[in-house]
Amino acid sequence: DRWILSELNTLVKNVAADFEDYEPTRAGRKIEAFVIDNLSNWYVRLNRNRFWAGTMDADKLSAYQTLYACLLTVSKLMAPIAPFYADRLYKDLTAGCQAADSVHLAEFPKVDETLIDSDLEASMEMAQKITSMVLSLRKKEHIIVRQPLGCISVPVTDEKQKARLEAMKQLILDEV
């Protein structure tokens, strides 16, 4: 949850800057990349077991609250460039809650700098790239995902990269 919330706050910061610079296309692309690459293809997929767990425990509730916070923030970020869809998403998310009647009446998100962890974001980005490359090689060589690999080798260029790789090692191995 820490990683996706860091990515979300980085997104808020960058999208706000793009809107300030009158760059709505750049802002839209960043929102799209966050939703597709980070939220949907990575966070939701990695946390399927938490979402589908039988009982509503603290861990499952935390996963749902994190996803809710991300979607609500995305609805507010995209409101200037996709007003009708953003409003529908916002209304669906806030139905029954005490919230503004429309996303366009809600406050624009503010970045929480204390939640941004650049090192964690860089480590997760590296894990995503390595996973993507290994899965691509598997596909090219016709090796199904369920077939375990004997080993994978990842070249490292410096100690910082090595530390990041070590921190993400188990996640990468689980994914490939």
Side-chain angles (χ1 to χ4, degrees):
D1 293 353
R2 224 172 39 119
W3 163 74
I4 197 69
L5 292 174
S6 177
E7 288 282 356
L8 180 67
N9 278 279
T10 299
L11 177 72
V12 169
K13 182 179 179 179
N14 293 337
V15 167
D18 287 342
F19 283 145
E20 287 287 323
D21 293 340
Y22 299 100
E23 293 286 353
T25 303
R26 196 177 333 155
R29 287 185 180 136
K30 287 176 183 167
I31 295 167
E32 175 190 27
F34 172 81
V35 170
I36 293 172
D37 298 334
N38 294 329
L39 190 61
S40 179
N41 288 344
W42 202 249
Y43 180 76
V44 171
R45 192 172 53 74
L46 288 177
N47 289 284
R48 278 184 297 213
N49 294 338
R50 291 173 71 194
F51 292 122
W52 295 343
T55 59
M56 181 60 82
D57 59 2
D59 188 49
K60 183 174 183 172
L61 182 61
S62 174
Y64 275 120
Q65 288 174 333
T66 300
L67 181 59
Y68 177 83
C70 289
L71 291 173
L72 189 63
T73 302
V74 164
S75 73
K76 293 174 183 179
L77 290 175
M78 67 187 223
I81 52 179
F84 299 111
Y85 181 74
D87 203 42
R88 177 79 270 152
L89 178 60
Y90 179 82
K91 285 179 180 176
D92 288 345
L93 290 169
T94 59
C97 298
Q98 201 149 359
D101 292 336
S102 168
V103 72
H104 306 293
L105 299 174
E107 227 180 276
F108 195 80
K110 290 181 177 29
V111 66
D112 183 351
E113 296 279 351
T114 63
L115 293 177
I116 295 177
D117 184 343
S118 305
D119 287 336
L120 179 60
E121 288 180 35
S123 296
M124 195 62 84
E125 182 182 358
M126 184 180 67
Q128 288 172 311
K129 286 179 181 178
I130 291 169
T131 299
S132 178
M133 285 187 279
V134 172
L135 292 175
S136 179
L137 285 169
R138 275 182 172 276
K139 186 176 181 179
K140 180 182 172 196
E141 297 298 324
H142 306 291
I143 302 171
I144 60 172
V145 178
R146 292 181 186 203
Q147 181 179 344
L149 295 174
C151 70
I152 61 171
S153 297
V154 179
V156 292
T157 56
D158 58 38
E159 286 302 314
K160 190 172 187 178
Q161 188 181 32
K162 184 178 181 180
R164 285 183 177 157
L165 184 61
E166 280 298 318
M168 295 294 154
K169 180 180 177 179
Q170 194 56 51
L171 176 65
I172 294 166
L173 292 175
D174 290 345
E175 289 300 303
V176 299

PDB file of all heavy atoms in Angstrom, residues 84-121:
ATOM      1  N   PHE A  84     -17.148  14.124 -17.942  1.00  0.00           N
ATOM      2  CA  PHE A  84     -18.331  13.299 -17.738  1.00  0.00           C
ATOM      3  C   PHE A  84     -17.985  11.958 -17.086  1.00  0.00           C
ATOM      4  O   PHE A  84     -18.648  11.518 -16.152  1.00  0.00           O
ATOM      5  CB  PHE A  84     -19.076  13.084 -19.061  1.00  0.00           C
ATOM      6  CG  PHE A  84     -19.550  14.371 -19.669  1.00  0.00           C
ATOM      7  CD1 PHE A  84     -18.976  14.858 -20.830  1.00  0.00           C
ATOM      8  CD2 PHE A  84     -20.536  15.128 -19.048  1.00  0.00           C
ATOM      9  CE1 PHE A  84     -19.395  16.068 -21.379  1.00  0.00           C
ATOM     10  CE2 PHE A  84     -20.961  16.330 -19.581  1.00  0.00           C
ATOM     11  CZ  PHE A  84     -20.385  16.809 -20.749  1.00  0.00           C
ATOM     12  N   TYR A  85     -16.931  11.326 -17.553  1.00  0.00           N
ATOM     13  CA  TYR A  85     -16.524  10.056 -16.956  1.00  0.00           C
ATOM     14  C   TYR A  85     -16.036  10.272 -15.519  1.00  0.00           C
ATOM     15  O   TYR A  85     -16.349   9.494 -14.629  1.00  0.00           O
ATOM     16  CB  TYR A  85     -15.446   9.348 -17.787  1.00  0.00           C
ATOM     17  CG  TYR A  85     -15.065   8.035 -17.158  1.00  0.00           C
ATOM     18  CD1 TYR A  85     -15.928   6.947 -17.223  1.00  0.00           C
ATOM     19  CD2 TYR A  85     -13.884   7.889 -16.453  1.00  0.00           C
ATOM     20  CE1 TYR A  85     -15.617   5.756 -16.606  1.00  0.00           C
ATOM     21  CE2 TYR A  85     -13.564   6.698 -15.830  1.00  0.00           C
ATOM     22  CZ  TYR A  85     -14.430   5.634 -15.913  1.00  0.00           C
ATOM     23  OH  TYR A  85     -14.118   4.453 -15.288  1.00  0.00           O
ATOM     24  N   ALA A  86     -15.283  11.341 -15.297  1.00  0.00           N
ATOM     25  CA  ALA A  86     -14.783  11.634 -13.954  1.00  0.00           C
ATOM     26  C   ALA A  86     -15.946  11.846 -12.988  1.00  0.00           C
ATOM     27  O   ALA A  86     -15.919  11.355 -11.859  1.00  0.00           O
ATOM     28  CB  ALA A  86     -13.885  12.863 -13.980  1.00  0.00           C
ATOM     29  N   ASP A  87     -16.966  12.540 -13.446  1.00  0.00           N
ATOM     30  CA  ASP A  87     -18.120  12.792 -12.588  1.00  0.00           C
ATOM     31  C   ASP A  87     -18.872  11.496 -12.290  1.00  0.00           C
ATOM     32  O   ASP A  87     -19.296  11.260 -11.155  1.00  0.00           O
ATOM     33  CB  ASP A  87     -19.051  13.820 -13.226  1.00  0.00           C
ATOM     34  CG  ASP A  87     -19.921  14.519 -12.204  1.00  0.00           C
ATOM     35  OD1 ASP A  87     -19.412  14.870 -11.120  1.00  0.00           O
ATOM     36  OD2 ASP A  87     -21.124  14.700 -12.478  1.00  0.00           O
ATOM     37  N   ARG A  88     -19.021  10.630 -13.282  1.00  0.00           N
ATOM     38  CA  ARG A  88     -19.692   9.343 -13.067  1.00  0.00           C
ATOM     39  C   ARG A  88     -18.912   8.496 -12.054  1.00  0.00           C
ATOM     40  O   ARG A  88     -19.488   7.925 -11.138  1.00  0.00           O
ATOM     41  CB  ARG A  88     -19.807   8.598 -14.406  1.00  0.00           C
ATOM     42  CG  ARG A  88     -20.410   7.222 -14.325  1.00  0.00           C
ATOM     43  CD  ARG A  88     -21.924   7.237 -14.208  1.00  0.00           C
ATOM     44  NE  ARG A  88     -22.359   7.268 -12.830  1.00  0.00           N
ATOM     45  CZ  ARG A  88     -23.512   7.807 -12.400  1.00  0.00           C
ATOM     46  NH1 ARG A  88     -24.328   8.381 -13.259  1.00  0.00           N
ATOM     47  NH2 ARG A  88     -23.854   7.784 -11.148  1.00  0.00           N
ATOM     48  N   LEU A  89     -17.603   8.416 -12.233  1.00  0.00           N
ATOM     49  CA  LEU A  89     -16.760   7.653 -11.324  1.00  0.00           C
ATOM     50  C   LEU A  89     -16.861   8.225  -9.911  1.00  0.00           C
ATOM     51  O   LEU A  89     -17.054   7.483  -8.938  1.00  0.00           O
ATOM     52  CB  LEU A  89     -15.308   7.656 -11.808  1.00  0.00           C
ATOM     53  CG  LEU A  89     -14.276   6.939 -10.938  1.00  0.00           C
ATOM     54  CD1 LEU A  89     -14.629   5.464 -10.774  1.00  0.00           C
ATOM     55  CD2 LEU A  89     -12.882   7.096 -11.536  1.00  0.00           C
ATOM     56  N   TYR A  90     -16.769   9.516  -9.789  1.00  0.00           N
ATOM     57  CA  TYR A  90     -16.838  10.183  -8.487  1.00  0.00           C
ATOM     58  C   TYR A  90     -18.176   9.902  -7.812  1.00  0.00           C
ATOM     59  O   TYR A  90     -18.226   9.553  -6.619  1.00  0.00           O
ATOM     60  CB  TYR A  90     -16.632  11.694  -8.665  1.00  0.00           C
ATOM     61  CG  TYR A  90     -16.708  12.475  -7.379  1.00  0.00           C
ATOM     62  CD1 TYR A  90     -15.608  12.567  -6.538  1.00  0.00           C
ATOM     63  CD2 TYR A  90     -17.883  13.122  -6.993  1.00  0.00           C
ATOM     64  CE1 TYR A  90     -15.668  13.292  -5.348  1.00  0.00           C
ATOM     65  CE2 TYR A  90     -17.951  13.845  -5.819  1.00  0.00           C
ATOM     66  CZ  TYR A  90     -16.847  13.915  -4.999  1.00  0.00           C
ATOM     67  OH  TYR A  90     -16.904  14.635  -3.825  1.00  0.00           O
ATOM     68  N   LYS A  91     -19.269  10.044  -8.553  1.00  0.00           N
ATOM     69  CA  LYS A  91     -20.598   9.817  -7.973  1.00  0.00           C
ATOM     70  C   LYS A  91     -20.780   8.362  -7.561  1.00  0.00           C
ATOM     71  O   LYS A  91     -21.383   8.076  -6.528  1.00  0.00           O
ATOM     72  CB  LYS A  91     -21.676  10.247  -8.958  1.00  0.00           C
ATOM     73  CG  LYS A  91     -21.817  11.745  -9.058  1.00  0.00           C
ATOM     74  CD  LYS A  91     -22.868  12.154 -10.062  1.00  0.00           C
ATOM     75  CE  LYS A  91     -22.976  13.662 -10.124  1.00  0.00           C
ATOM     76  NZ  LYS A  91     -23.921  14.103 -11.157  1.00  0.00           N
ATOM     77  N   ASP A  92     -20.258   7.435  -8.366  1.00  0.00           N
ATOM     78  CA  ASP A  92     -20.348   6.016  -8.001  1.00  0.00           C
ATOM     79  C   ASP A  92     -19.545   5.727  -6.735  1.00  0.00           C
ATOM     80  O   ASP A  92     -19.970   4.934  -5.900  1.00  0.00           O
ATOM     81  CB  ASP A  92     -19.857   5.122  -9.149  1.00  0.00           C
ATOM     82  CG  ASP A  92     -20.830   5.083 -10.316  1.00  0.00           C
ATOM     83  OD1 ASP A  92     -21.995   5.505 -10.161  1.00  0.00           O
ATOM     84  OD2 ASP A  92     -20.410   4.621 -11.400  1.00  0.00           O
ATOM     85  N   LEU A  93     -18.401   6.352  -6.606  1.00  0.00           N
ATOM     86  CA  LEU A  93     -17.547   6.120  -5.440  1.00  0.00           C
ATOM     87  C   LEU A  93     -18.077   6.775  -4.165  1.00  0.00           C
ATOM     88  O   LEU A  93     -17.842   6.282  -3.065  1.00  0.00           O
ATOM     89  CB  LEU A  93     -16.122   6.626  -5.705  1.00  0.00           C
ATOM     90  CG  LEU A  93     -15.300   5.830  -6.704  1.00  0.00           C
ATOM     91  CD1 LEU A  93     -14.035   6.593  -7.076  1.00  0.00           C
ATOM     92  CD2 LEU A  93     -14.951   4.459  -6.144  1.00  0.00           C
ATOM     93  N   THR A  94     -18.789   7.885  -4.320  1.00  0.00           N
ATOM     94  CA  THR A  94     -19.225   8.639  -3.139  1.00  0.00           C
ATOM     95  C   THR A  94     -20.718   8.488  -2.858  1.00  0.00           C
ATOM     96  O   THR A  94     -21.234   9.178  -1.971  1.00  0.00           O
ATOM     97  CB  THR A  94     -18.877  10.135  -3.288  1.00  0.00           C
ATOM     98  OG1 THR A  94     -19.529  10.655  -4.459  1.00  0.00           O
ATOM     99  CG2 THR A  94     -17.385  10.349  -3.356  1.00  0.00           C
ATOM    100  N   ALA A  95     -21.407   7.605  -3.557  1.00  0.00           N
ATOM    101  CA  ALA A  95     -22.835   7.398  -3.317  1.00  0.00           C
ATOM    102  C   ALA A  95     -23.045   7.009  -1.853  1.00  0.00           C
ATOM    103  O   ALA A  95     -22.390   6.125  -1.319  1.00  0.00           O
ATOM    104  CB  ALA A  95     -23.375   6.311  -4.235  1.00  0.00           C
ATOM    105  N   GLY A  96     -23.946   7.708  -1.191  1.00  0.00           N
ATOM    106  CA  GLY A  96     -24.219   7.414   0.209  1.00  0.00           C
ATOM    107  C   GLY A  96     -23.240   8.058   1.178  1.00  0.00           C
ATOM    108  O   GLY A  96     -23.390   7.929   2.387  1.00  0.00           O
ATOM    109  N   CYS A  97     -22.244   8.742   0.665  1.00  0.00           N
ATOM    110  CA  CYS A  97     -21.258   9.421   1.520  1.00  0.00           C
ATOM    111  C   CYS A  97     -21.581  10.906   1.569  1.00  0.00           C
ATOM    112  O   CYS A  97     -22.254  11.433   0.699  1.00  0.00           O
ATOM    113  CB  CYS A  97     -19.848   9.259   0.966  1.00  0.00           C
ATOM    114  SG  CYS A  97     -19.282   7.570   0.882  1.00  0.00           S
ATOM    115  N   GLN A  98     -21.045  11.546   2.556  1.00  0.00           N
ATOM    116  CA  GLN A  98     -21.184  12.988   2.620  1.00  0.00           C
ATOM    117  C   GLN A  98     -20.053  13.585   1.801  1.00  0.00           C
ATOM    118  O   GLN A  98     -18.929  13.726   2.282  1.00  0.00           O
ATOM    119  CB  GLN A  98     -21.130  13.467   4.060  1.00  0.00           C
ATOM    120  CG  GLN A  98     -21.739  14.811   4.236  1.00  0.00           C
ATOM    121  CD  GLN A  98     -22.352  14.960   5.621  1.00  0.00           C
ATOM    122  OE1 GLN A  98     -22.313  14.037   6.419  1.00  0.00           O
ATOM    123  NE2 GLN A  98     -22.913  16.114   5.892  1.00  0.00           N
ATOM    124  N   ALA A  99     -20.347  13.876   0.540  1.00  0.00           N
ATOM    125  CA  ALA A  99     -19.335  14.408  -0.373  1.00  0.00           C
ATOM    126  C   ALA A  99     -19.994  15.458  -1.261  1.00  0.00           C
ATOM    127  O   ALA A  99     -21.215  15.610  -1.260  1.00  0.00           O
ATOM    128  CB  ALA A  99     -18.757  13.281  -1.221  1.00  0.00           C
ATOM    129  N   ALA A 100     -19.186  16.130  -2.027  1.00  0.00           N
ATOM    130  CA  ALA A 100     -19.709  17.121  -2.967  1.00  0.00           C
ATOM    131  C   ALA A 100     -20.648  16.434  -3.959  1.00  0.00           C
ATOM    132  O   ALA A 100     -20.508  15.242  -4.244  1.00  0.00           O
ATOM    133  CB  ALA A 100     -18.556  17.795  -3.698  1.00  0.00           C
ATOM    134  N   ASP A 101     -21.603  17.179  -4.500  1.00  0.00           N
ATOM    135  CA  ASP A 101     -22.569  16.612  -5.441  1.00  0.00           C
ATOM    136  C   ASP A 101     -21.926  16.214  -6.756  1.00  0.00           C
ATOM    137  O   ASP A 101     -22.471  15.407  -7.496  1.00  0.00           O
ATOM    138  CB  ASP A 101     -23.697  17.619  -5.719  1.00  0.00           C
ATOM    139  CG  ASP A 101     -24.579  17.840  -4.507  1.00  0.00           C
ATOM    140  OD1 ASP A 101     -24.623  16.933  -3.642  1.00  0.00           O
ATOM    141  OD2 ASP A 101     -25.212  18.909  -4.408  1.00  0.00           O
ATOM    142  N   SER A 102     -20.778  16.788  -7.051  1.00  0.00           N
ATOM    143  CA  SER A 102     -20.107  16.531  -8.317  1.00  0.00           C
ATOM    144  C   SER A 102     -18.598  16.615  -8.099  1.00  0.00           C
ATOM    145  O   SER A 102     -18.135  17.340  -7.215  1.00  0.00           O
ATOM    146  CB  SER A 102     -20.537  17.579  -9.352  1.00  0.00           C
ATOM    147  OG  SER A 102     -19.717  17.537 -10.494  1.00  0.00           O
ATOM    148  N   VAL A 103     -17.860  15.891  -8.921  1.00  0.00           N
ATOM    149  CA  VAL A 103     -16.398  15.961  -8.847  1.00  0.00           C
ATOM    150  C   VAL A 103     -15.926  17.385  -9.126  1.00  0.00           C
ATOM    151  O   VAL A 103     -14.897  17.816  -8.622  1.00  0.00           O
ATOM    152  CB  VAL A 103     -15.738  14.946  -9.805  1.00  0.00           C
ATOM    153  CG1 VAL A 103     -15.893  15.362 -11.256  1.00  0.00           C
ATOM    154  CG2 VAL A 103     -14.269  14.749  -9.467  1.00  0.00           C
ATOM    155  N   HIS A 104     -16.719  18.124  -9.896  1.00  0.00           N
ATOM    156  CA  HIS A 104     -16.340  19.487 -10.269  1.00  0.00           C
ATOM    157  C   HIS A 104     -16.548  20.484  -9.127  1.00  0.00           C
ATOM    158  O   HIS A 104     -16.090  21.624  -9.202  1.00  0.00           O
ATOM    159  CB  HIS A 104     -17.103  19.912 -11.519  1.00  0.00           C
ATOM    160  CG  HIS A 104     -16.935  18.946 -12.646  1.00  0.00           C
ATOM    161  ND1 HIS A 104     -15.725  18.756 -13.271  1.00  0.00           N
ATOM    162  CD2 HIS A 104     -17.799  18.063 -13.205  1.00  0.00           C
ATOM    163  CE1 HIS A 104     -15.863  17.808 -14.196  1.00  0.00           C
ATOM    164  NE2 HIS A 104     -17.096  17.370 -14.164  1.00  0.00           N
ATOM    165  N   LEU A 105     -17.235  20.031  -8.081  1.00  0.00           N
ATOM    166  CA  LEU A 105     -17.412  20.863  -6.896  1.00  0.00           C
ATOM    167  C   LEU A 105     -16.493  20.408  -5.761  1.00  0.00           C
ATOM    168  O   LEU A 105     -16.407  21.058  -4.727  1.00  0.00           O
ATOM    169  CB  LEU A 105     -18.873  20.811  -6.428  1.00  0.00           C
ATOM    170  CG  LEU A 105     -19.903  21.314  -7.440  1.00  0.00           C
ATOM    171  CD1 LEU A 105     -21.315  21.076  -6.926  1.00  0.00           C
ATOM    172  CD2 LEU A 105     -19.681  22.776  -7.769  1.00  0.00           C
ATOM    173  N   ALA A 106     -15.831  19.294  -5.972  1.00  0.00           N
ATOM    174  CA  ALA A 106     -14.902  18.768  -4.965  1.00  0.00           C
ATOM    175  C   ALA A 106     -13.568  19.494  -5.073  1.00  0.00           C
ATOM    176  O   ALA A 106     -13.215  20.042  -6.125  1.00  0.00           O
ATOM    177  CB  ALA A 106     -14.701  17.269  -5.172  1.00  0.00           C
ATOM    178  N   GLU A 107     -12.829  19.455  -3.978  1.00  0.00           N
ATOM    179  CA  GLU A 107     -11.514  20.081  -3.966  1.00  0.00           C
ATOM    180  C   GLU A 107     -10.521  19.267  -4.788  1.00  0.00           C
ATOM    181  O   GLU A 107     -10.518  18.037  -4.727  1.00  0.00           O
ATOM    182  CB  GLU A 107     -11.007  20.164  -2.519  1.00  0.00           C
ATOM    183  CG  GLU A 107     -10.459  21.518  -2.163  1.00  0.00           C
ATOM    184  CD  GLU A 107      -9.985  21.551  -0.729  1.00  0.00           C
ATOM    185  OE1 GLU A 107     -10.830  21.772   0.141  1.00  0.00           O
ATOM    186  OE2 GLU A 107      -8.773  21.366  -0.525  1.00  0.00           O
ATOM    187  N   PHE A 108      -9.658  19.957  -5.538  1.00  0.00           N
ATOM    188  CA  PHE A 108      -8.616  19.275  -6.294  1.00  0.00           C
ATOM    189  C   PHE A 108      -7.637  18.662  -5.304  1.00  0.00           C
ATOM    190  O   PHE A 108      -7.323  19.271  -4.285  1.00  0.00           O
ATOM    191  CB  PHE A 108      -7.899  20.268  -7.230  1.00  0.00           C
ATOM    192  CG  PHE A 108      -7.072  19.621  -8.287  1.00  0.00           C
ATOM    193  CD1 PHE A 108      -7.649  19.109  -9.434  1.00  0.00           C
ATOM    194  CD2 PHE A 108      -5.696  19.497  -8.134  1.00  0.00           C
ATOM    195  CE1 PHE A 108      -6.889  18.503 -10.416  1.00  0.00           C
ATOM    196  CE2 PHE A 108      -4.917  18.886  -9.101  1.00  0.00           C
ATOM    197  CZ  PHE A 108      -5.525  18.391 -10.259  1.00  0.00           C
ATOM    198  N   PRO A 109      -7.148  17.451  -5.575  1.00  0.00           N
ATOM    199  CA  PRO A 109      -6.246  16.785  -4.619  1.00  0.00           C
ATOM    200  C   PRO A 109      -4.978  17.591  -4.349  1.00  0.00           C
ATOM    201  O   PRO A 109      -4.450  18.259  -5.225  1.00  0.00           O
ATOM    202  CB  PRO A 109      -5.891  15.471  -5.319  1.00  0.00           C
ATOM    203  CG  PRO A 109      -6.885  15.292  -6.386  1.00  0.00           C
ATOM    204  CD  PRO A 109      -7.388  16.647  -6.764  1.00  0.00           C
ATOM    205  N   LYS A 110      -4.516  17.464  -3.126  1.00  0.00           N
ATOM    206  CA  LYS A 110      -3.257  18.100  -2.718  1.00  0.00           C
ATOM    207  C   LYS A 110      -2.251  16.990  -2.423  1.00  0.00           C
ATOM    208  O   LYS A 110      -2.596  15.964  -1.864  1.00  0.00           O
ATOM    209  CB  LYS A 110      -3.478  18.968  -1.488  1.00  0.00           C
ATOM    210  CG  LYS A 110      -4.304  20.205  -1.776  1.00  0.00           C
ATOM    211  CD  LYS A 110      -4.462  21.043  -0.539  1.00  0.00           C
ATOM    212  CE  LYS A 110      -5.201  22.330  -0.737  1.00  0.00           C
ATOM    213  NZ  LYS A 110      -6.187  22.428  -1.745  1.00  0.00           N
ATOM    214  N   VAL A 111      -1.024  17.239  -2.811  1.00  0.00           N
ATOM    215  CA  VAL A 111       0.027  16.246  -2.602  1.00  0.00           C
ATOM    216  C   VAL A 111       0.408  16.178  -1.131  1.00  0.00           C
ATOM    217  O   VAL A 111       0.449  17.193  -0.448  1.00  0.00           O
ATOM    218  CB  VAL A 111       1.258  16.559  -3.490  1.00  0.00           C
ATOM    219  CG1 VAL A 111       1.924  17.853  -3.072  1.00  0.00           C
ATOM    220  CG2 VAL A 111       2.250  15.431  -3.467  1.00  0.00           C
ATOM    221  N   ASP A 112       0.644  14.953  -0.667  1.00  0.00           N
ATOM    222  CA  ASP A 112       1.166  14.736   0.686  1.00  0.00           C
ATOM    223  C   ASP A 112       2.603  14.261   0.517  1.00  0.00           C
ATOM    224  O   ASP A 112       2.858  13.088   0.268  1.00  0.00           O
ATOM    225  CB  ASP A 112       0.319  13.691   1.421  1.00  0.00           C
ATOM    226  CG  ASP A 112       0.768  13.478   2.857  1.00  0.00           C
ATOM    227  OD1 ASP A 112       1.848  14.004   3.245  1.00  0.00           O
ATOM    228  OD2 ASP A 112       0.057  12.783   3.605  1.00  0.00           O
ATOM    229  N   GLU A 113       3.530  15.187   0.636  1.00  0.00           N
ATOM    230  CA  GLU A 113       4.954  14.899   0.406  1.00  0.00           C
ATOM    231  C   GLU A 113       5.493  13.818   1.342  1.00  0.00           C
ATOM    232  O   GLU A 113       6.436  13.113   0.995  1.00  0.00           O
ATOM    233  CB  GLU A 113       5.792  16.173   0.564  1.00  0.00           C
ATOM    234  CG  GLU A 113       5.489  17.262  -0.446  1.00  0.00           C
ATOM    235  CD  GLU A 113       6.156  17.059  -1.797  1.00  0.00           C
ATOM    236  OE1 GLU A 113       7.003  16.161  -1.921  1.00  0.00           O
ATOM    237  OE2 GLU A 113       5.809  17.809  -2.724  1.00  0.00           O
ATOM    238  N   THR A 114       4.888  13.686   2.518  1.00  0.00           N
ATOM    239  CA  THR A 114       5.381  12.685   3.478  1.00  0.00           C
ATOM    240  C   THR A 114       5.130  11.263   2.995  1.00  0.00           C
ATOM    241  O   THR A 114       5.773  10.324   3.473  1.00  0.00           O
ATOM    242  CB  THR A 114       4.731  12.864   4.868  1.00  0.00           C
ATOM    243  OG1 THR A 114       3.309  12.655   4.751  1.00  0.00           O
ATOM    244  CG2 THR A 114       5.007  14.252   5.420  1.00  0.00           C
ATOM    245  N   LEU A 115       4.214  11.073   2.066  1.00  0.00           N
ATOM    246  CA  LEU A 115       3.909   9.737   1.551  1.00  0.00           C
ATOM    247  C   LEU A 115       4.766   9.357   0.341  1.00  0.00           C
ATOM    248  O   LEU A 115       4.733   8.210  -0.103  1.00  0.00           O
ATOM    249  CB  LEU A 115       2.424   9.629   1.179  1.00  0.00           C
ATOM    250  CG  LEU A 115       1.437   9.710   2.345  1.00  0.00           C
ATOM    251  CD1 LEU A 115       0.008   9.675   1.827  1.00  0.00           C
ATOM    252  CD2 LEU A 115       1.685   8.604   3.345  1.00  0.00           C
ATOM    253  N   ILE A 116       5.510  10.318  -0.207  1.00  0.00           N
ATOM    254  CA  ILE A 116       6.325  10.039  -1.393  1.00  0.00           C
ATOM    255  C   ILE A 116       7.647   9.406  -0.971  1.00  0.00           C
ATOM    256  O   ILE A 116       8.372   9.942  -0.152  1.00  0.00           O
ATOM    257  CB  ILE A 116       6.567  11.325  -2.210  1.00  0.00           C
ATOM    258  CG1 ILE A 116       5.233  11.843  -2.766  1.00  0.00           C
ATOM    259  CG2 ILE A 116       7.557  11.059  -3.338  1.00  0.00           C
ATOM    260  CD1 ILE A 116       5.337  13.142  -3.536  1.00  0.00           C
ATOM    261  N   ASP A 117       7.920   8.242  -1.549  1.00  0.00           N
ATOM    262  CA  ASP A 117       9.159   7.506  -1.301  1.00  0.00           C
ATOM    263  C   ASP A 117       9.782   7.188  -2.664  1.00  0.00           C
ATOM    264  O   ASP A 117       9.456   6.174  -3.281  1.00  0.00           O
ATOM    265  CB  ASP A 117       8.860   6.225  -0.514  1.00  0.00           C
ATOM    266  CG  ASP A 117      10.105   5.457  -0.126  1.00  0.00           C
ATOM    267  OD1 ASP A 117      11.182   5.710  -0.707  1.00  0.00           O
ATOM    268  OD2 ASP A 117      10.006   4.578   0.758  1.00  0.00           O
ATOM    269  N   SER A 118      10.659   8.055  -3.129  1.00  0.00           N
ATOM    270  CA  SER A 118      11.256   7.922  -4.470  1.00  0.00           C
ATOM    271  C   SER A 118      12.033   6.627  -4.633  1.00  0.00           C
ATOM    272  O   SER A 118      12.004   6.011  -5.700  1.00  0.00           O
ATOM    273  CB  SER A 118      12.172   9.098  -4.762  1.00  0.00           C
ATOM    274  OG  SER A 118      11.488  10.299  -4.593  1.00  0.00           O
ATOM    275  N   ASP A 119      12.734   6.207  -3.584  1.00  0.00           N
ATOM    276  CA  ASP A 119      13.502   4.960  -3.670  1.00  0.00           C
ATOM    277  C   ASP A 119      12.590   3.762  -3.843  1.00  0.00           C
ATOM    278  O   ASP A 119      12.875   2.864  -4.637  1.00  0.00           O
ATOM    279  CB  ASP A 119      14.384   4.771  -2.425  1.00  0.00           C
ATOM    280  CG  ASP A 119      15.582   5.704  -2.410  1.00  0.00           C
ATOM    281  OD1 ASP A 119      15.991   6.145  -3.504  1.00  0.00           O
ATOM    282  OD2 ASP A 119      16.100   5.980  -1.314  1.00  0.00           O
ATOM    283  N   LEU A 120      11.497   3.734  -3.102  1.00  0.00           N
ATOM    284  CA  LEU A 120      10.537   2.636  -3.241  1.00  0.00           C
ATOM    285  C   LEU A 120       9.931   2.624  -4.630  1.00  0.00           C
ATOM    286  O   LEU A 120       9.782   1.569  -5.247  1.00  0.00           O
ATOM    287  CB  LEU A 120       9.450   2.755  -2.177  1.00  0.00           C
ATOM    288  CG  LEU A 120       8.359   1.690  -2.196  1.00  0.00           C
ATOM    289  CD1 LEU A 120       8.961   0.293  -2.008  1.00  0.00           C
ATOM    290  CD2 LEU A 120       7.318   1.985  -1.114  1.00  0.00           C
ATOM    291  N   GLU A 121       9.589   3.794  -5.153  1.00  0.00           N
ATOM    292  CA  GLU A 121       9.027   3.884  -6.501  1.00  0.00           C
ATOM    293  C   GLU A 121      10.031   3.377  -7.541  1.00  0.00           C
ATOM    294  O   GLU A 121       9.666   2.642  -8.456  1.00  0.00           O
ATOM    295  CB  GLU A 121       8.630   5.324  -6.820  1.00  0.00           C
ATOM    296  CG  GLU A 121       7.412   5.792  -6.069  1.00  0.00           C
ATOM    297  CD  GLU A 121       7.015   7.220  -6.394  1.00  0.00           C
ATOM    298  OE1 GLU A 121       7.187   7.642  -7.568  1.00  0.00           O
ATOM    299  OE2 GLU A 121       6.524   7.922  -5.498  1.00  0.00           O
TER     300      GLU A 121
END
